[in-house]
Amino acid sequence: MEQLSAGKKLDRAFEKLGKKNTLSFELDLDTDVASLKAMDAASDPAPGEEIPDEAAELLSGAKITVAVQSKKPLEESGEKDLVGTAMKVSTPDGDLAEYRVIGDYTYIRADMDAMGKTMGSPLPDADDLPPEAGAMKDVIEGKWVKFNTKEMDKAAAEGQKADGGPTPSLDAKTQKKLVKALREVIAREVEFKTADGGDGTEHVTATAPFRTLITELFGEIRPLVKDLPPGMQLPTDKDLKDAPDAKVTADFTLKNGELSQVDMDLAKLAENAKVKRLGLTLRMREGTRPTAPAGATTIDLDDLMNGFLGGPTMGDAEFDMSGLADEDVPQD
């Protein structure tokens, strides 16, 4: 009875999330520099391709925060129902990158200095850019900029057409089949236990051998491959035979029946004694409404792609920002 009871409690907690119109959570990678470098070394990187100390430092303290708001309950929502979406990557030293999609615009900002140092490709100082660089100076300085989301989608569609057509997506019927397959594997292979945490909290743990779990999961998905997007390759049982078969446990914390936190210790999957810390923590937050940041500079997509992503140089680019009107959206 305990297995059924614990699984039901977890099912109901996820059902409550689906009935919300707003959802906010924080994903924290619980690791350290030594563990990241040990994992990197085990992958046998080519000389000069080892993970930089700066990148390991950044990843070891990184957190991802996500907020979504919809007109409908999230379980019934499609892309057109979303009012706003926001995601932020932060470190103990501050925010690294952030984007928000509100109304017709996408807003982005990033600590380009920190990202440049981490990637080993420092960017030029904003003061060294020519006057015609325009809004690109704001990008380099880490200020908020915005561009029209529909224009970005149009450019992406044109790129897909040039590559042989648009990338097909999963239809609702196939998605339901995949969810059903996942539920069946979890019910068959995952062991659930529940324990009282006090103060209205309860812990539900889900434990399963990793290799067995993913092998069974892909086994259930393969009959659906005809319904998946063309070109999508699934690993075979032979491909998965070397996957670690250590048991992995996810600890779900429920507060008054609602999911409040998930903790996973993944160090065993590394199969490396030097990997001491490798965990993931997901913390649910009160649903907050994503808002448009005040003072964002409008940037032309051609300028962004050409000047920032390796096209014509800043001095050769034309920064025509006329005719781009601001949208009346909620401001911070």
Side-chain angles (χ1 to χ4, degrees):
M1 287 295 293
E2 183 181 44
Q3 174 136 340
L4 177 62
S5 174
K8 278 288 186 184
K9 288 176 181 177
L10 202 53
D11 263 350
R12 288 174 182 172
F14 279 103
E15 287 172 1
K16 287 185 178 182
L17 288 180
K19 296 184 185 305
K20 295 178 179 290
N21 287 63
T22 58
L23 180 66
S24 301
F25 61 86
E26 176 185 274
L27 185 63
D28 183 6
L29 179 61
D30 180 20
T31 187
D32 53 33
V33 173
S35 293
L36 289 174
K37 293 184 77 68
M39 286 192 296
D40 181 60
S43 68
D44 195 23
E49 297 296 324
E50 299 88 352
I51 185 173
D53 290 346
E54 294 85 354
E57 286 278 0
L58 185 149
L59 288 173
S60 66
K63 293 181 180 180
I64 299 175
T65 306
V66 176
V68 179
Q69 181 186 23
S70 174
K71 300 173 185 175
K72 300 178 180 179
L74 292 170
E75 64 183 1
E76 303 172 12
S77 297
E79 187 175 348
K80 294 181 179 179
D81 300 312
L82 297 181
V83 176
T85 306
M87 185 178 78
K88 177 172 66 177
V89 180
S90 58
T91 71
D93 294 329
D95 296 340
L96 184 67
E98 184 172 4
Y99 89 89
R100 303 179 193 179
V101 181
I102 312 290
D104 292 336
Y105 282 86
T106 295
Y107 301 79
I108 58 173
R109 69 169 175 174
D111 185 340
M112 302 305 294
D113 183 55
M115 294 182 70
K117 290 178 180 177
T118 299
M119 299 171 64
S121 304
L123 293 170
D125 191 283
D127 292 336
D128 296 332
L129 297 178
E132 58 267 30
M136 284 307 302
K137 287 190 176 184
D138 288 340
V139 175
I140 299 297
E141 291 176 345
K143 297 178 181 179
W144 280 106
V145 296
K146 66 179 181 179
F147 55 83
N148 190 288
T149 307
K150 291 181 180 179
E151 291 180 6
M152 172 64 86
D153 292 341
K154 182 179 178 181
E158 290 174 352
Q160 290 169 353
K161 185 177 181 180
D163 292 335
T167 302
S169 57
L170 292 176
D171 56 52
K173 185 177 180 180
T174 302
Q175 290 181 40
K176 288 183 179 180
K177 287 181 180 179
L178 289 174
V179 171
K180 182 175 182 291
L182 176 61
R183 284 178 176 267
E184 289 177 353
V185 172
I186 289 177
R188 189 166 62 240
E189 301 295 343
V190 178
E191 177 185 358
F192 293 101
K193 291 184 179 180
T194 183
D196 186 4
D199 296 326
T201 65
E202 191 171 21
H203 289 274
V204 175
T205 58
T207 304
F210 181 73
R211 185 196 308 153
T212 302
L213 184 62
I214 61 171
T215 300
E216 289 288 320
L217 178 58
F218 283 115
E220 291 285 347
I221 293 176
R222 281 193 195 96
L224 306 176
V225 72
K226 65 181 184 302
D227 300 320
L228 300 179
M232 186 172 181
Q233 299 292 324
L234 298 181
T236 64
D237 287 347
K238 184 178 180 181
D239 295 329
L240 299 172
K241 69 181 180 62
D242 293 328
D245 206 30
K247 285 192 174 182
V248 178
T249 297
D251 185 339
F252 299 85
T253 302
L254 308 183
K255 180 77 170 179
N256 298 322
E258 294 194 5
L259 183 65
S260 64
Q261 184 165 314
V262 184
D263 296 282
M264 293 184 67
D265 185 356
L266 305 176
K268 291 180 181 178
L269 294 184
E271 297 187 317
N272 186 330
K274 294 182 179 180
V275 178
K276 304 296 185 184
R277 281 178 57 197
L278 182 61
L280 284 175
T281 297
L282 176 71
R283 300 180 183 89
M284 308 307 297
R285 298 291 185 236
E286 285 298 320
T288 57
R289 181 187 180 192
T291 57
T297 302
T298 303
I299 188 169
D300 185 86
L301 281 177
D302 288 338
D303 298 339
L304 181 64
M305 300 299 287
N306 293 337
F308 183 54
L309 300 179
T313 61
M314 290 289 186
D316 294 333
E318 294 182 3
F319 285 77
D320 180 12
M321 300 178 67
S322 62
L324 293 177
D326 290 342
E327 185 189 34
D328 182 18
V329 290
Q331 303 289 310
D332 278 351

